Amino acid sequence: MPAPKALRPFAHREYRVLISALAISIFGSGMWAVAMVYQVIHLGGGPLELSLVAAAGSVGLVAFLLAGGIAADRVPQRRLIIAVEGANLAVIAAVSGLAMTGWLQLWHLAAGAFVLGVGAAFFFPAYSAILPRILPPEDLLAANGVEGSMRPVLQQAAGPAVAGIVVAALSPSHAVTAVAVCHLSAFIVLNFLGQHSLDAPVNGAEDGSFAAGAERGKSSFLQDLREGVLYTLRTPWLLWTLLWACISVLFLIGPIEVLLPFVVRDQLGGDSRMFGFLLAVMGVGAALGSLLTASLRLPRRYLTVMMVSWGAGSLPLAAVGIMDNFWVIATALFIWGVTGSVGMVIWGTLLQRRVPPHLLGRVSSLDFFVSLALMPVSMALAGPAAEVLPIWLIFLVAGVVCPIMAVIAMMVARMSDDELAHPLDRAAVVERSTAAGD
């Protein structure tokens, strides 16, 4: 009896090693998010100090993200991932040691957060680029679905919950020590990645990508970056998907992160517990959407399904600022979580299957950079916008603009023609080849 599609990547030893280490690492990241907060408070810090520490991590991530993508295309990804996890371990172990001895200061936490942010900037492009080297093309969708379902469960729920228990029962420094243990475990597991399995061309392709890699060693940082940007600009489906992502991040993230608490307070008469429950509902939707996508075959109309999921899934948010019923708003956020993750799993798979292997790290980092760079802008604009516009209007505009932009992106990039000209479903390829033979 064949294994369910979502479990097929686990048949490959290297994937089992990689995903196990990733699961441990993101669980530790979830713990760090809570441990760091209470460590700042334990040191006498307030909202300002906490913002500075959190901002240090964000600055490290955004500032080095493009460099991380170039490194993923130049340096063996196995070596890069292990080095990042080793650096994470060193940073958290140092913070833990300083906390346990009573020598920890706020600037230590800020410096540690900055280094962790830099590590994330190098880790995620390398992870995206290494998956096609250890999995066949037909298993990439399932692998991206597994990661998409793990992240909300481990990083947004389980990790913070365990850290909260440790902080309450022991101390923030003990929680930081537990994070160090997570990174130590992930570092040990990653060293079991077999080098031999990463020497073959991506997905068995004989495309000269390794010869290109040798040439890249002679090129400069700016030349490498220019090559990735030019490829993106010349690839309509890629360019217009990123443009849609810019619009969606700018219009949606700020209202969800900044204005939703006021919707809960003013429209629903709720408190922080209700707000947290709504975020949990959204996270559950994201996990279920990822699992659902991982369990199915990549759609033949993959670009259409991706854009319709994102566009149609944003439409219910238009009603968030109007409705005063908790379950209606919860349903809207649940739908957004499901459809958003469906699109993200397909998107990650398309990058790995349609972007040339020697460009994958850079294109992945551009994707992350676009999203992360506009996220703080959206959150910074949401508050002032709410001072001059009613909150219901802001949600209405966000919920309507994103579907309209999805339709525009599909039309301008001619995505329906593109996906038929580049079939990724193996059955569709065979069928087309057979028809040509007839």
Side-chain angles (χ1 to χ4, degrees):
M1 182 177 179
K5 192 175 186 305
L7 299 180
R8 275 169 38 184
F10 290 93
H12 304 271
R13 176 192 177 276
E14 307 306 326
Y15 176 76
R16 293 197 301 271
V17 172
L18 183 62
I19 200 64
S20 297
L22 180 65
I24 297 169
S25 183
I26 65 176
F27 176 80
S29 298
M31 290 192 67
W32 168 254
V34 172
M36 178 267 291
V37 169
Y38 286 95
Q39 191 67 71
V40 169
I41 294 173
H42 181 73
L43 294 175
L48 176 61
E49 290 77 12
L50 181 57
S51 295
L52 290 174
V53 173
S58 299
V59 169
L61 176 59
V62 174
F64 284 85
L65 200 47
L66 296 179
I70 292 174
D73 289 334
R74 281 175 172 257
V75 180
Q77 290 112 18
R78 175 185 181 274
R79 187 184 307 167
L80 192 58
I81 287 173
I82 292 175
V84 168
E85 198 57 48
N88 291 343
L89 170 60
V91 168
I92 298 296
V95 172
S96 172
L98 290 170
M100 286 295 190
T101 56
W103 295 346
L104 185 67
Q105 299 180 34
L106 283 170
W107 75 266
H108 294 141
L109 281 173
F114 178 81
V115 175
L116 292 176
V118 173
F122 283 86
F123 184 91
F124 289 112
Y127 172 81
S128 296
I130 202 175
L131 272 185
R133 296 194 179 279
I134 63 179
L135 290 174
E138 60 270 19
D139 288 347
L140 288 173
L141 183 71
N144 289 312
V146 169
E147 185 209 349
S149 59
M150 271 193 343
R151 201 166 290 281
V153 172
L154 296 178
Q155 190 170 13
Q156 299 174 20
V162 171
I165 293 172
V166 174
V167 169
L170 299 171
S171 69
S173 58
H174 284 86
V176 174
T177 302
V179 176
V181 172
C182 289
H183 285 294
L184 173 61
S185 302
F187 179 75
I188 293 172
V189 172
L190 282 173
N191 277 276
F192 286 96
L193 274 175
Q195 180 63 50
H196 67 281
S197 66
L198 306 180
D199 291 336
V202 175
N203 290 328
E206 303 290 344
D207 60 1
S209 59
F210 284 84
E215 291 298 321
R216 283 196 311 280
K218 305 175 184 178
S219 61
S220 69
F221 175 92
L222 290 179
Q223 287 174 324
D224 280 353
L225 180 59
R226 180 174 180 270
E227 185 182 10
V229 172
L230 286 178
Y231 174 80
T232 302
L233 293 176
R234 293 169 180 169
T235 309
W237 70 268
L238 182 59
L239 173 62
W240 280 92
T241 302
L242 285 179
L243 289 175
W244 182 90
C246 290
I247 296 295
S248 67
V249 168
L250 189 61
F251 276 84
L252 290 177
I253 297 301
I256 294 296
E257 296 289 338
V258 177
L259 303 182
L260 186 59
F262 296 99
V263 170
V264 170
R265 186 193 68 183
D266 300 335
Q267 293 174 209
L268 304 180
D271 54 13
S272 60
R273 289 172 296 180
M274 182 179 289
F275 174 65
F277 186 80
L278 286 174
L279 294 183
V281 167
M282 189 167 61
V284 169
L288 291 178
S290 296
L291 281 178
L292 173 65
T293 311
S295 303
L296 301 174
R297 176 181 293 176
L298 183 69
R300 185 164 179 252
R301 293 277 191 175
Y302 49 85
L303 290 170
T304 300
V305 172
M306 179 181 74
M307 296 306 297
V308 169
S309 294
W310 280 337
S314 303
L315 194 56
L317 296 180
V320 167
I322 301 173
M323 305 304 296
D324 58 1
N325 184 285
F326 169 80
W327 292 108
V328 172
I329 293 179
T331 301
L333 293 174
F334 178 81
I335 292 172
W336 190 54
V338 170
T339 55
S341 64
V342 168
M344 284 302 300
V345 171
I346 296 175
W347 169 245
T349 306
L350 296 187
L351 292 181
Q352 292 157 352
R353 293 191 63 178
R354 290 200 56 180
V355 174
H358 69 284
L359 290 169
L360 182 53
R362 278 166 284 177
V363 174
S364 297
S365 68
L366 282 171
D367 173 34
F368 282 118
F369 182 80
V370 165
S371 301
L372 294 174
L374 288 179
M375 198 174 296
V377 175
S378 177
M379 290 189 285
L381 292 176
E387 293 293 324
V388 296
L389 298 172
I391 289 179
W392 67 265
L393 181 59
I394 295 174
F395 275 98
L396 178 63
V397 170
V400 172
V401 165
C402 291
I404 291 175
M405 279 303 303
V407 173
I408 292 174
M410 292 171 64
M411 293 175 61
V412 176
R414 302 180 66 181
M415 291 187 183
S416 60
D417 294 335
D418 186 283
E419 60 196 357
L420 292 180
H422 301 88
L424 296 181
D425 183 276
R426 178 163 291 183
V429 175
V430 173
E431 180 182 324
R432 179 167 294 197
S433 301
T434 304
D438 294 341

